[in-house]
Amino acid sequence: MTTDPFEPRPEHKFSFGLWTVGNPGRDPFGDPVRPRLSPGEIAALLGEVGAWGVNLHDNDLVPIDATPAERDRIVRDFGQACERHGLVVPMVTTNLFTDPAFKDGAFTANDPAVRALGVQKAMGAMDIGAQLGAKILVMWGGREGTETDGCRRPDVAIQRLREAVNFLCEYSISNKYDYRFALEAKPNEPRSDLYMATTGAYLGFIPTLDHPELVGVNPEVAHEHMAGLNMTHAVAQAWEAGKLFHIDLNDQVIGRYDQDFRFGAANPKAAFWLVKFLEEVGYAGPRHFDAHAYRTEGLEGVKDFARGCMRTYLILKDKAVRWIADPEISELVAELDRGSQPSPPIGQYSDATARALREHRFDRQALGARELAYERLDQLTIEILLGVR
Ligand code: GCO
Ligand code: MN
Ligand code: MN
């Protein structure tokens, strides 16, 4: 019996949001094209395609005006549906963008009542998540941003954001929820400019919090690409800082509208470097697909979309293994990494190391004349990706 090497298994930790496979295909120009699935139906679909986890916004599951009793019943029923379909709930998040009350943002809004409502709503999302076993709270600003910067000073917005995150960290601690907070940056949409436009911005913000140890980031491929940036570089900086708490995988053509394409659909080479990095460093968190099917699709197309995200990840993981094991590539990489002339190490500063460095005579011309075979290296990479190697 042959087994499909690209079949998703629980240890791959593939997760989808209720809002991703549940996306009915509405866009700014057109109405929904797919029937709205209930959370239970989505759990069944995710179980069928072989996902490991399902994530949710509070209101993907519990309507915003549900009574406490309705809330309890809905959450209990959903927990049972997840169990039935072999799914865990690793992450929850808060919808702070759909309701008109949040038209000027939530945590950064000028009206203190809106800010307080935002924090109250996030507490409610944390309660729901805790009941379902979630340990990661994603915080995406949604509408934390501006069309006109006349509305408030942007540093005040940052102070308000800090106040809210600090409060929610304490809420997690005092309820023993044990959440890790993953802050998700995005440069624009739905506002013209969002605060905290890049993962790097959040990495600068986190050390200013009361509980920086509880807070990391949730980089998203599409969001870095919307800003014209390199996702793998953003992820690497987060990883190196011990802050890669979650990841949103999808795809996005640079310079276009917010596309949320199937993982690897637009930039397979960028996706390859990302998967290679995650697998090489041993990232152990969820691989969450924050994407949705093309608007041309029905229910079967949504399954094709979800299977495609996971399959592409696993194919790229296999390509990464091939890349690392390829003798010609390894030799080339080792050669490119090798020093070409003796030089004093930089290392720890001391008077002696500084003197040694000041006095050293480099053959600068030889350094400039050295040829670096990155063309060959990249072509070998492309040949692996295109399947001829
Ligand atoms: C977007 C974001 C969202 C968030 C989600 C979780 O572009 O709309 O990526 O999908 O990830 O709201 O907070
Ligand atoms: Mn997004
Ligand atoms: Mn996202």
Side-chain angles (χ1 to χ4, degrees):
M1 194 183 95
T2 54
T3 52
D4 180 351
F6 306 124
E7 187 151 342
R9 290 192 305 268
E11 66 264 30
H12 299 133
K13 292 194 173 176
F14 290 135
S15 61
F16 290 82
L18 282 181
W19 70 95
T20 64
V21 281
N23 181 297
R26 182 192 296 111
D27 73 12
F29 303 93
D31 290 338
V33 292
R34 293 184 281 268
R36 206 167 271 288
L37 302 176
S38 71
E41 288 169 330
I42 298 174
L45 185 154
L46 288 176
E48 182 188 334
V49 299
W52 156 83
V54 57
N55 304 314
L56 50 110
H57 298 88
D58 48 356
N59 304 137
D60 297 339
L61 183 61
V62 181
I64 193 163
D65 40 20
T67 64
E70 284 165 348
R71 188 208 89 116
D72 287 347
R73 182 187 50 76
I74 293 168
V75 174
R76 203 184 42 244
D77 288 356
F78 184 66
Q80 287 167 0
C82 288
E83 246 172 65
R84 247 192 336 275
H85 299 291
L87 295 166
V88 296
V89 180
M91 175 274 258
V92 290
T93 183
T94 320
N95 182 328
L96 295 171
F97 42 89
T98 298
D99 194 86
F102 299 117
K103 62 188 164 200
D104 191 29
F107 302 151
T108 64
N110 285 347
D111 188 333
V114 174
R115 299 205 294 275
L117 175 65
V119 172
Q120 183 199 61
K121 202 163 181 300
M123 291 159 77
M126 289 165 75
D127 299 340
I128 293 172
Q131 229 170 302
L132 294 167
K135 292 288 174 209
I136 301 170
L137 183 85
V138 162
M139 291 176 86
W140 171 58
R143 294 188 188 271
E144 314 288 10
T146 64
E147 284 75 37
T148 169
D149 283 324
C151 63
R152 73 187 70 82
R153 260 175 48 174
D155 57 336
V156 169
I158 294 167
Q159 287 154 10
R160 291 175 180 167
L161 184 62
R162 180 180 301 117
E163 182 182 43
V165 177
N166 283 342
F167 191 94
L168 293 169
C169 284
E170 295 295 349
Y171 185 67
S172 175
I173 294 167
S174 82
N175 284 281
K176 301 198 168 43
Y177 281 166
D178 211 16
Y179 275 112
R180 303 217 298 166
F181 294 71
L183 309 182
E184 177 177 343
K186 188 177 183 183
N188 53 270
E189 292 191 50
R191 304 302 293 273
S192 178
D193 287 288
L194 297 177
Y195 300 124
M196 299 296 166
T198 63
T199 298
Y202 267 137
L203 289 171
F205 173 70
I206 291 168
T208 72
L209 296 169
D210 289 347
H211 288 286
E213 74 285 359
L214 297 185
V215 186
V217 291
N218 177 37
E220 173 166 322
V221 178
H223 298 179
E224 300 299 322
H225 287 188
M226 284 168 78
L229 299 175
N230 182 316
M231 170 69 170
T232 305
H233 293 191
V235 165
Q237 194 188 354
W239 173 260
E240 206 271 336
K243 291 298 182 193
L244 188 64
F245 287 10
H246 198 260
I247 193 163
D248 276 5
L249 301 172
N250 54 12
D251 215 348
Q252 165 78 35
V253 176
I254 287 177
R256 300 284 169 89
Y257 66 97
D258 184 6
Q259 295 177 308
D260 285 337
F261 284 153
R262 188 180 75 254
F263 181 57
N267 306 283
K269 187 174 159 193
F272 167 71
W273 295 125
L274 177 61
V275 170
K276 176 173 168 292
F277 180 84
L278 294 173
E279 296 300 324
E280 257 181 332
V281 299
Y283 167 73
R287 274 86 173 146
H288 172 233
F289 298 105
D290 186 7
H292 49 76
Y294 300 148
R295 199 163 168 274
T296 47
E297 307 306 300
L299 197 55
E300 285 311 307
V302 170
K303 292 179 199 168
D304 290 340
F305 149 82
R307 289 194 178 104
C309 285
M310 298 185 283
R311 193 171 166 79
T312 296
Y313 188 101
L314 293 174
I315 293 169
L316 293 175
K317 181 174 164 180
D318 176 72
K319 299 283 183 195
V321 171
R322 278 169 203 272
W323 194 96
I324 291 162
D326 188 302
E328 202 178 334
I329 290 181
S330 318
E331 211 176 293
L332 201 49
V333 169
E335 169 56 28
L336 288 162
D337 201 32
R338 204 169 289 138
S340 59
Q341 57 182 261
S343 64
I346 299 171
Q348 183 66 43
Y349 185 89
S350 72
D351 288 348
T353 56
R355 195 174 331 108
L357 186 51
R358 278 188 71 84
E359 286 168 6
H360 187 80
R361 291 288 156 263
F362 293 92
D363 184 348
R364 204 182 68 247
Q365 265 151 6
L367 291 176
R370 182 180 178 189
E371 292 189 25
L372 305 172
Y374 291 160
E375 282 287 2
R376 219 172 101 217
L377 179 62
D378 197 67
Q379 181 63 23
L380 290 170
T381 305
I382 290 291
E383 292 191 11
I384 286 186
L385 289 181
L386 295 184
V388 296
R389 195 170 173 86

